[in-house]
Amino acid sequence: MTVKTCSMIPMLDLKKQIAPIRAEIDAAIEKVIDNTNFILGAEAREFEENAAKYCAVKYAVGVCNGTDAIKLSLLALGIKRGDAVICPSFTYYATAGAIAAIGAIPVFADIDIDTYNIFPESIENILKRNKKYKIKAIIPVHLYGQCADMDGILKIAANFKLKVIEDTAQAFGAEYNGKKAGTIADCGTVSFFPGKNLGAFGDAGMVLTNDKKAADIVRLLSNQGNQERYFHAALGFNNRLDTLQAAVLNVKLKYLDGWNNKRRENALYFDARLKGLALKTPCVAKHTTHIYHQYVLRLNRASAKLVAHLHSKGIDSRVYYPVPLHLQECFKDLGYKKGDFPNSEMAASRTLAIPVYPDLTKDEMEYIVASIKEFIKC
Ligand SMILES: *Cc1c(COP(=O)(O)O)cnc(C)c1O
């Protein structure tokens, strides 16, 4: 049996990721400093071009973070104050926070308990019963790195004349029926938060779309509504992508597929070793690839004790997310209550994510498996 070293196995080790490409990143940063073109410099456009090519999408507009990418997409698609937008109850806060940020109302939908993603029937139930809200859009989230059932969701959206924005913060590089996540619906939004599979050295984000009008509006609004400098055509924001972040992302994008493949290998290793235990390993839907932003296990009881057990063994693990959005304090005025979304509530209490990052060693993975088995047995 492997002997554990004294340091903690973290959820993500960015130092290990950066070390082998450090010289390349340093050179890219130095070039930006030499040019001093810190806002809307050449690297920002270059990264947009590289990302558009990588995703095979017509337009990629760099913005300041993934949350504002959602906000700008909503505005670009004509969603207004007082409109309502469906999103999953089980996701990171920002999905719903961006809806609320433009004065629109988040309407929550439950998730599929196997994929943890919003699913067509759940959305349809809400739409059929809805009398209260002017629902104008759906934001499916490709949670943990696999795509939601986009064909089903797009069909409903067409029936009810709704816009669709894919929250691709956790799934940049995943594919749905051969298309890149974020390029399937009206807009796709990406986060390059440092902990995401493709992470900047600070905040950064992007909007992907094949719709020229939407791309133009996102660009306009992200840059203070500037048509020309000091001529403001719309009430915009300072939501631009930094040149420095773009320079870092230009270097890292080349490595993304390799990193995602390594995550997939690690996930397969865990799948095989954890099979047969009283827990549920991740389930990948037919139509999608999985880039394992998170490797999430579900227990038949609360996961908090396993988190504590792993911590005592020097292994970091996390519950993403312990409180579903319909039960968050900040959304209490929306009037939801416990029991409204049973799958979201079950996921919140019984799941945990274990480390799956590309630089994990075989020894570390073996040790994680052994530590989980020790707990499940007792
Ligand atoms: C990270 C994340 C966001 C927000 O991205 P930021 O770049 O941190 O603003 C939005 N949605 C989901 C699902 C996320 O995981």
Side-chain angles (χ1 to χ4, degrees):
M1 189 45 50
T2 347
V3 181
K4 205 193 79 61
T5 54
C6 51
S7 63
M8 204 66 192
I9 301 176
M11 283 301 287
L12 176 64
D13 191 336
L14 284 174
K15 285 184 183 168
K16 276 194 189 162
Q17 184 200 71
I18 293 162
I21 58 171
R22 177 69 186 259
E24 214 181 332
I25 290 179
D26 283 349
I29 290 175
E30 205 171 318
K31 194 169 148 216
V32 177
I33 298 173
D34 287 342
N35 290 335
T36 66
N37 208 348
F38 297 117
I39 302 293
L40 300 179
E43 285 81 356
R45 275 299 163 110
E46 232 169 83
F47 179 60
E48 290 177 344
E49 282 164 20
N50 291 337
K53 200 190 282 173
Y54 175 81
C55 292
V57 70
K58 281 192 189 146
Y59 309 98
V61 184
V63 297
C64 53
N65 60 59
T67 310
D68 284 314
I70 301 171
K71 177 191 79 179
L72 293 165
S73 298
L74 286 165
L75 292 171
L77 295 173
I79 312 306
K80 294 188 175 61
R81 176 170 294 278
D83 289 344
V85 179
I86 293 177
C87 75
S89 167
F90 191 66
T91 174
Y92 180 55
Y93 159 79
T95 313
I99 297 169
I102 64 159
I105 303 151
V107 174
F108 298 120
D110 209 354
I111 52 157
D112 174 76
I113 196 59
D114 288 328
T115 61
Y116 307 107
N117 274 326
I118 192 172
F119 64 109
E121 290 77 8
S122 155
I123 297 170
E124 208 159 26
N125 277 341
I126 287 166
L127 287 165
K128 281 184 175 156
R129 275 187 280 135
N130 173 54
K131 289 199 179 69
K132 194 168 164 193
Y133 294 118
K134 282 187 290 180
I135 298 177
K136 294 291 178 65
I138 309 169
I139 308 184
V141 178
H142 302 316
L143 200 71
Y144 302 145
Q146 73 167 315
C147 296
D149 176 357
M150 290 306 297
D151 282 347
I153 292 168
L154 289 176
K155 204 187 274 172
I156 293 171
N159 285 345
F160 287 84
K161 297 196 168 42
L162 307 176
K163 301 290 185 186
V164 180
I165 297 168
E166 303 170 67
D167 183 341
T168 313
Q170 303 190 3
F172 189 65
E175 289 185 359
Y176 178 85
N177 287 337
K179 283 190 192 168
K180 282 280 190 289
T183 69
I184 300 145
D186 294 296
C187 288
T189 62
V190 188
S191 165
F192 303 113
F193 175 84
K196 301 286 155 77
N197 287 26
L198 177 61
F201 287 1
D203 283 308
M206 181 163 266
V207 175
L208 307 170
T209 184
N210 285 306
D211 174 350
K212 180 166 191 315
K213 189 169 156 238
D216 287 346
I217 298 175
V218 169
R219 192 176 296 285
L220 181 75
L221 293 179
S222 70
N223 188 24
Q224 311 280 29
N226 260 312
Q227 200 76 282
E228 280 170 68
R229 191 175 292 187
Y230 308 126
F231 291 83
H232 303 273
L235 295 173
F237 313 90
N238 180 351
N239 282 176
R240 296 170 300 237
L241 170 66
D242 272 16
T243 310
L244 269 172
Q245 299 304 340
V248 171
L249 289 165
N250 262 325
V251 173
K252 288 179 94 181
L253 178 60
K254 294 182 291 202
Y255 300 96
L256 178 64
D257 282 347
W259 292 331
N260 284 346
N261 287 335
K262 194 74 203 328
R263 283 175 182 269
R264 210 170 283 132
E265 263 175 44
N266 293 350
L268 287 175
Y269 177 93
F270 283 133
D271 286 350
R273 301 300 159 106
L274 296 172
K275 209 163 62 185
L277 294 182
L279 50 73
K280 181 115 178 77
T281 54
C283 162
V284 187
K286 279 199 301 285
H287 49 257
T288 176
T289 62
H290 202 322
I291 58 162
Y292 294 97
H293 174 58
Q294 301 297 349
Y295 185 91
V296 173
L297 299 171
R298 190 172 77 245
L299 310 185
N300 51 19
R301 52 183 151 155
S303 55
K305 282 198 177 126
L306 179 52
V307 172
H309 171 78
L310 292 175
H311 188 85
S312 78
K313 294 275 157 185
I315 300 162
D316 200 3
S317 66
R318 300 283 167 84
V319 178
Y320 298 110
Y321 299 90
V323 181
L325 297 186
H326 69 285
L327 300 178
Q328 291 283 355
E329 175 85 25
C330 65
F331 293 125
K332 70 171 188 294
D333 291 350
L334 296 175
Y336 292 100
K337 60 184 187 309
K338 211 168 172 171
D340 282 347
F341 302 112
N343 289 353
S344 297
E345 291 168 30
M346 188 199 280
S349 70
R350 294 195 190 171
T351 60
L352 77 161
I354 59 172
V356 71
Y357 60 90
D359 307 284
L360 272 180
T361 64
K362 270 274 141 64
D363 280 356
E364 286 169 330
M365 287 195 290
E366 216 174 285
Y367 178 73
I368 292 169
V369 167
S371 303
I372 291 172
K373 283 185 169 166
E374 205 178 274
F375 175 86
I376 295 293
K377 264 191 214 117
C378 62

